[in-house]
Amino acid sequence: MARSNPPLEDRPTSKRVGALRALLPFVMPYRGQVLIAIVALVLTSAISLVLPLAVRRVVDNFDDGAGLLNEYFTAALVIVGLLALGTAARYFFVTRLGERVVADIRKAVFARVVTLSPAFFERVMTGEILSRITTDTTLIQSVIGSSLSIALRNMLILAGGLLMLALTSVKLMGLVLLIVPTILVPIIVLGRRLRRLSRANQDWIATSSGAASETLLAAQTVQAYTHEARSIAQFDAATEKSFDVALHRIRTRALMTAIVIFLIFAGVIGVLWIGARDVRMGVMTAGELVQFVIYAILVATSSGALSEIWGELQRAAGATERLGELLAARDDLTDPAQPVALPRPVRGHIALDSVSFRYPSRPDISALEDISLTIAPGETVALVGPSGAGKTTIIQLVQRFWDPASGSVALDGIDLRDMRRDDFRQAMALVPQDPVIFAATAAENIRLGRPDASDADVRAAAQAAHAADFIEALPQGYDTALGERGVMLSGGQRQRIAIARAILRDAPVLLLDEATSALDAESEALVQEAVAKLSQNRTTIVIAHRLATVKKADRIIVLEHGRIVAEGTHETLVAQGSLYARLARMQFTDQTPEQPAQSDQPGSARAAG
């Protein structure tokens, strides 16, 4: 069930906001927007720095007549108008840039993850991936679309303000500079701690999301085994841990904010006290002091804002690291740099040559051991044997979801590792034991087999799979949404949708993994007829625990403990009195109850063959 702590393997840790540089490849395509935003940013910062000069003029020339005073206030109004327009432009372009960049990051992460081999999903939970795509990208959007521009604006105001302070009074400016090192110390020290806490916080959020996803996707099983209380406790534990880390982060940031703001304004008050004394002594004018006060306030508020934004940047740096890990995730399977094209038309000749394989999660158990098997074009071969014998593993190797540890798997004489996976997989159609139904319409689910298929082709495929009757009985027929994972359908109906999908694909290689296991006797007979027609003139690999479904296969391969122990026709194998004969006696006589269909699929108990 849920993990007790976040997976931290292979995670580089950044000690600075420099991790945000990883976002540059996503920002650079929109350099035009960046330039406009920077221009607006510089304009608003410059205007903010000009305002104190106008105030000084008003104060020092207050007694020079109403006309001049009116001119100063008119100029101030124009400046404020420009400030409003510049701020609006900055907000629009920066926020738009943030949304665009985050959309691109989400697309890039999803495109990367969806192509990764099953080995990756043995290490990382789906819920954790979704948390990174949603929560982490939201943090980055906040930084690019808001915090980063505010930080840059405050940096410009801080630098410009310090310059104008120096021009106003070098003496007071020197006193201000004495305060800066004192302010930087807590920002640097506490900022590093903030980054670590932010990363840990996001990790625990991902863990709780993974726990929730895993439990909700198996809600019926959880309820059937009255596991609700433990599932709730596991989710609560992960969520509370996330809260505890977040609370620690909040306390650290609050402490940093309090220290920085106190140091800034205490220093400003001290400097202003000295400035006020200089005005009384005639060293500087009242307007100069007012100008200095405003610049000092601008510098102080900018410094305070930067200390707060620093925490946001630290969080975004952690989020960027996590997303970067997904984008840079190593895949055990890769397509060759110079792939060989699979010749068309595909004949469907499959050859396994001395294949051995162990699942990465169970390296001490051999799933297949020195398997050699050749399947001729158009031949129907059935794989039988106990659960964990290696049947589903063979089908997965034929689709290259895994690479063999030794030996090779070839299609039409070409090693699968020499071809692009999307090239040769187009020549295959799969009907799994547990068919996947998407939260889409019945027609869209069938059309997964061939996206460009016409409505007539979809209906013909459903008719051939004996699915048309129940689909047409749905509220909107083929346009009825089937719900998440096909909750509106029975197990047999889901399987017939999957068979219709395979019929529509019309591929030269057909892979059937317990394709009729969820059907009642009448539906099974109908689907067997559809499968028999579908298998004609196609290379077909059939996995079945119920031997009645494989009696007519051209050849039956009997597997046990990852090895081929016998092969031949049904009659030949029964006559040999081998493992197959024992299985047949159990299923075709009343000596022993029929064995229930069990999955060979790796992932549940990881006991797959």
Side-chain angles (χ1 to χ4, degrees):
M1 298 296 289
R3 298 178 184 180
S4 59
N5 48 50
L8 297 172
E9 68 275 10
D10 300 326
R11 287 187 172 175
T13 56
S14 157
K15 294 183 179 180
R16 57 186 186 278
V17 176
L20 292 173
R21 283 196 298 266
L23 299 176
L24 282 177
F26 295 96
V27 175
M28 290 309 292
Y30 309 104
R31 57 178 66 91
Q33 291 184 46
V34 174
L35 182 61
I36 295 173
I38 290 176
V39 169
L41 189 67
V42 172
L43 176 65
T44 54
S45 301
I47 292 172
S48 298
L49 293 171
V50 167
L51 278 174
L53 292 174
V55 174
R56 173 188 170 182
R57 295 269 185 172
V58 171
V59 173
D60 285 342
N61 298 283
F62 193 76
D63 297 327
D64 289 351
L68 187 60
L69 196 61
N70 290 340
E71 289 180 10
Y72 284 135
F73 274 103
T74 302
L77 189 60
V78 171
I79 291 172
V80 169
L82 291 174
L83 180 64
L85 290 175
T87 303
R90 175 182 62 83
Y91 170 80
F92 174 80
F93 286 106
V94 169
T95 305
R96 185 178 185 275
L97 177 66
E99 294 287 353
R100 182 67 266 167
V101 167
V102 164
D104 289 348
I105 292 174
R106 283 176 175 158
K107 291 193 295 184
V109 171
F110 182 78
R112 175 59 180 157
V113 171
V114 81
T115 61
L116 292 173
S117 62
F120 175 80
F121 295 96
E122 284 194 340
R123 302 192 302 268
V124 183
M125 296 176 70
T126 304
E128 181 178 351
I129 296 171
L130 294 176
S131 173
R132 296 191 190 191
I133 293 176
T134 54
T135 307
D136 288 356
T137 52
T138 299
L139 278 175
I140 292 173
Q141 190 278 329
S142 174
V143 166
I144 296 178
S146 175
S147 301
L148 198 57
S149 71
I150 293 174
L152 291 173
R153 178 176 178 273
N154 281 289
M155 287 173 65
L156 289 173
I157 291 177
L158 178 61
L162 290 172
L163 176 62
M164 295 307 296
L165 283 175
L167 293 175
T168 305
S169 172
V170 176
K171 172 187 172 181
L172 297 182
M173 170 62 183
L175 294 174
V176 170
L177 288 179
L178 292 177
I179 306 170
V180 173
T182 311
I183 297 169
L184 290 178
V185 171
I187 290 179
I188 294 172
V189 174
L190 296 178
R192 288 179 178 175
R193 185 183 300 176
L194 267 177
R195 192 208 63 80
R196 292 193 296 271
L197 291 171
S198 297
R199 176 62 186 261
N201 186 201
Q202 293 304 114
D203 284 338
W204 280 106
I205 290 174
T207 300
S208 63
S209 297
S213 173
E214 185 179 42
T215 301
L216 294 175
L217 289 174
Q220 291 187 15
T221 302
V222 170
Q223 293 169 10
Y225 283 91
T226 60
H227 201 274
E228 297 97 327
R230 291 195 63 184
S231 296
I232 292 170
Q234 288 170 341
F235 179 79
D236 287 354
T239 303
E240 284 300 317
K241 184 64 178 179
S242 173
F243 173 76
D244 291 340
V245 175
L247 191 59
H248 193 180
R249 173 180 59 79
I250 292 168
R251 285 172 180 158
T252 302
R253 182 168 171 179
L255 176 63
M256 183 179 75
T257 302
I259 292 173
V260 170
I261 289 178
F262 175 77
L263 291 174
I264 289 172
F265 285 95
V268 169
I269 290 172
V271 170
L272 292 181
W273 174 67
I274 296 172
R277 294 183 60 184
D278 286 347
V279 171
R280 288 178 61 87
M281 297 170 61
V283 175
M284 62 189 306
T285 67
E288 287 175 330
L289 178 61
V290 171
Q291 176 180 309
F292 190 90
V293 168
I294 296 174
Y295 281 128
I297 292 173
L298 286 175
V299 168
T301 53
S302 296
S303 302
L306 285 173
S307 69
E308 288 201 24
I309 293 169
W310 184 257
E312 292 296 326
L313 296 180
Q314 294 283 351
R315 293 189 70 194
T320 302
E321 284 179 343
R322 289 158 50 83
L323 289 168
E325 288 166 12
L326 289 182
L327 289 171
R330 295 189 304 271
D331 197 355
D332 297 331
L333 299 182
T334 56
D335 290 333
Q338 301 293 330
V340 177
L342 180 64
R344 261 65 176 186
V346 178
R347 296 185 300 117
H349 182 276
I350 297 173
L352 284 76
D353 183 17
S354 302
V355 169
S356 296
F357 176 74
R358 297 169 185 257
Y359 285 100
S361 59
R362 294 175 289 115
D364 55 330
I365 301 175
S366 180
L368 292 177
E369 191 69 37
D370 195 28
I371 292 286
S372 292
L373 175 63
T374 299
I375 304 174
E379 184 180 16
T380 296
V381 170
L383 306 179
V384 300
S387 292
K391 304 183 295 297
T392 295
T393 300
I394 289 177
I395 278 188
Q396 292 198 332
L397 289 175
V398 167
Q399 297 172 92
R400 205 189 167 208
F401 287 129
W402 307 92
D403 277 339
S406 61
S408 64
V409 182
L411 175 61
D412 286 356
I414 305 174
D415 193 316
L416 297 184
R417 289 170 290 200
D418 295 332
M419 296 183 284
R420 281 199 355 253
R421 284 167 289 176
D422 62 346
D423 182 20
F424 67 77
R425 284 176 186 168
Q426 289 176 359
M428 300 178 181
L430 170 69
V431 181
Q433 178 180 7
D434 186 14
V436 174
I437 303 298
F438 295 93
T441 66
E444 288 169 336
N445 268 283
I446 296 174
R447 196 174 271 116
L448 185 71
R450 182 155 51 90
D452 59 349
S454 66
D455 290 343
D457 290 338
V458 170
R459 284 175 165 77
Q463 194 73 42
H466 298 281
D469 289 344
F470 77 80
I471 291 176
E472 291 168 359
L474 294 172
Q476 285 83 41
Y478 285 86
D479 294 325
T480 303
L482 301 182
E484 186 179 19
R485 302 176 73 205
V487 293
M488 292 182 60
L489 306 178
S490 68
Q493 289 172 335
R494 287 197 295 269
Q495 218 145 20
R496 276 180 277 177
I497 290 281
I499 291 170
R501 188 183 288 164
I503 291 173
L504 185 64
R505 190 163 182 83
D506 194 24
V509 176
L510 180 62
L511 307 172
L512 305 172
D513 187 356
E514 290 286 351
T516 61
S517 63
L519 304 180
D520 55 64
E522 182 180 358
S523 297
E524 182 176 9
L526 293 172
V527 171
Q528 282 294 346
E529 180 184 346
V531 169
K533 292 179 181 178
L534 178 61
S535 302
Q536 290 178 2
N537 302 319
R538 302 176 199 277
T539 303
T540 306
I541 300 178
V542 183
I543 293 177
H545 282 82
R546 289 201 286 250
L547 302 186
T549 63
V550 300
K551 288 175 66 175
K552 295 182 180 180
D554 298 323
R555 191 158 40 116
I556 298 173
I557 308 297
V558 184
L559 294 160
E560 188 174 23
H561 303 305
R563 295 178 179 273
I564 296 177
V565 296
E567 65 177 283
T569 63
H570 171 76
E571 292 76 11
T572 302
L573 291 172
V574 169
Q576 288 177 354
S578 60
L579 170 63
Y580 184 86
R582 295 198 304 273
L583 294 173
R585 280 198 300 274
M586 285 192 292
Q587 293 192 25
F588 297 138
T589 70
D590 293 328
Q591 295 176 11
T592 307
E594 180 178 328
Q595 298 295 312
Q598 299 180 35
S599 173
D600 243 5
Q601 191 72 18
S604 51
R606 301 291 186 197

